[in-house]
């Protein structure tokens, strides 16, 4: 499973929206896009996933480009508790393969 | 629900010692996996299992053995510990045998130091 490409780090102000980008240019038609995040000293936790359509849940929204070569995780109002490493993962089989992720810093 | 439980949380080993990291889940998940995470890096897949009696290698399997005799448990064995195996180890589980449309649940990790 090929890894995705994400910026190393991003910074946001508290209470503002955050858009975390991810490139997956070699994605196949049946691969899902998953997002996980890892808070300091904790195991990763699931955030959201999708295939083609935009997806919303209580934590975030996922916008997937029409050609599926990129996607964006949207945190609508960042809080200090959202400071974490965010991983964008292409999942097409038995393996959940992590890249380096994006370190999100939230300023108060 | 306990979710995914890993024991121990911390462990120090001497080079050459063997040990088993335990992972148990109470969600009746078919799929379980082990990852290691080194400082400043993402998680790397060591081994995974799609059901009892079935295991397969991930990206970095050398130096580790696994077995899956029950649905609930997926222990990771270090045969002869080396300093390069100093890392934080995470166990994860999810529904399905290779289904891609499911979320994975992770344990809190085992921090292993090999001296």
């Amino acid at each position: 499973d090929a890894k995705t490409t994400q910026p190393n780090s991003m910074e946001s102000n508290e209470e503002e929206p955050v858009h975390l980008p991810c490139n997956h240019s070699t994605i196949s038609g049946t691969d899902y896009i998953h997002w996980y995040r890892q808070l300091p000293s904790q195991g990763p936790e699931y955030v959201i996933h999708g295939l083609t359509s935009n997806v919303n849940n209580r934590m975030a929204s996922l916008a997937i480009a029409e050609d599926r070569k990129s996607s964006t995780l949207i945190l609508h109002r960042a809080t200090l508790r959202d400071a974490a490493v965010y991983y964008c993962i292409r999942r097409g089989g038995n393996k959940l393969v992590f890249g380096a992720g994006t370190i999100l810093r939230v300023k108060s | 629900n306990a979710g995914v439980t890993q024991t121990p949380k911390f462990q120090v080993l001497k080079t050459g010692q063997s040990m088993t990291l335990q992972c148990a889940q109470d969600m009746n998940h078919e799929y379980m996996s082990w990852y290691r995470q080194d400082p400043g890096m993402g998680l790397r897949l060591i081994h995974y299992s799609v059901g009892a009696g079935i295991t397969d290698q991930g990206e970095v399997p050398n130096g580790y053995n696994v077995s899956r005799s029950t649905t609930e448990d997926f222990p990771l064995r270090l045969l002869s510990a080396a300093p390069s195996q100093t890392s934080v180890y995470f166990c994860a589980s999810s529904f399905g045998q290779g289904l891609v449309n499911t979320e994975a649940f992770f344990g809190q990790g085992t921090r292993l130091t090999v001296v």
Side-chain angles (χ1 to χ4, degrees), chain A residues 32 34 36 38 49 91 94 96, chain B residues 31 35 37 98 100-101 104:
Chain A
Y32 277 76
H34 288 243
Y36 284 76
Q38 187 174 24
H49 75 278
R91 187 168 188 186
N94 287 336
L96 198 62
Chain B
Y31 183 89
Y35 293 85
Q37 185 172 34
V100 299
N101 191 21

Side-chain angles (χ1 to χ4, degrees), chain A residues 2-103:
Chain A
K3 295 180 181 178
T4 58
T5 303
Q6 300 176 251
N8 290 335
S9 63
M10 293 185 64
E11 200 167 76
S12 170
N13 293 317
E14 200 175 9
E15 303 295 321
E16 291 185 356
V18 181
H19 291 234
L20 296 164
C22 179
N23 286 321
H24 28 81
S25 58
T26 61
I27 194 168
S28 72
T30 56
D31 289 353
Y32 277 76
I33 300 300
H34 288 243
W35 283 83
Y36 284 76
R37 71 179 186 181
Q38 187 174 24
L39 280 65
S41 301
Q42 294 191 25
E45 66 172 343
Y46 168 82
V47 176
I48 199 167
H49 75 278
L51 182 62
T52 56
S53 306
N54 295 345
V55 183
N56 300 293
N57 66 20
R58 63 175 180 81
M59 289 182 69
S61 295
L62 176 59
I64 301 174
E66 195 169 336
D67 63 6
R68 299 206 334 117
K69 294 185 177 182
S70 65
S71 61
T72 302
L73 178 71
I74 303 165
L75 307 179
H76 297 285
R77 289 181 64 196
T79 70
L80 296 178
R81 288 175 295 178
D82 291 322
V85 180
Y86 286 78
Y87 297 100
C88 167
I89 301 164
R90 220 186 79 173
R91 187 168 188 186
N94 287 336
K95 301 175 184 179
L96 198 62
V97 180
F98 287 76
T102 296
I103 300 170

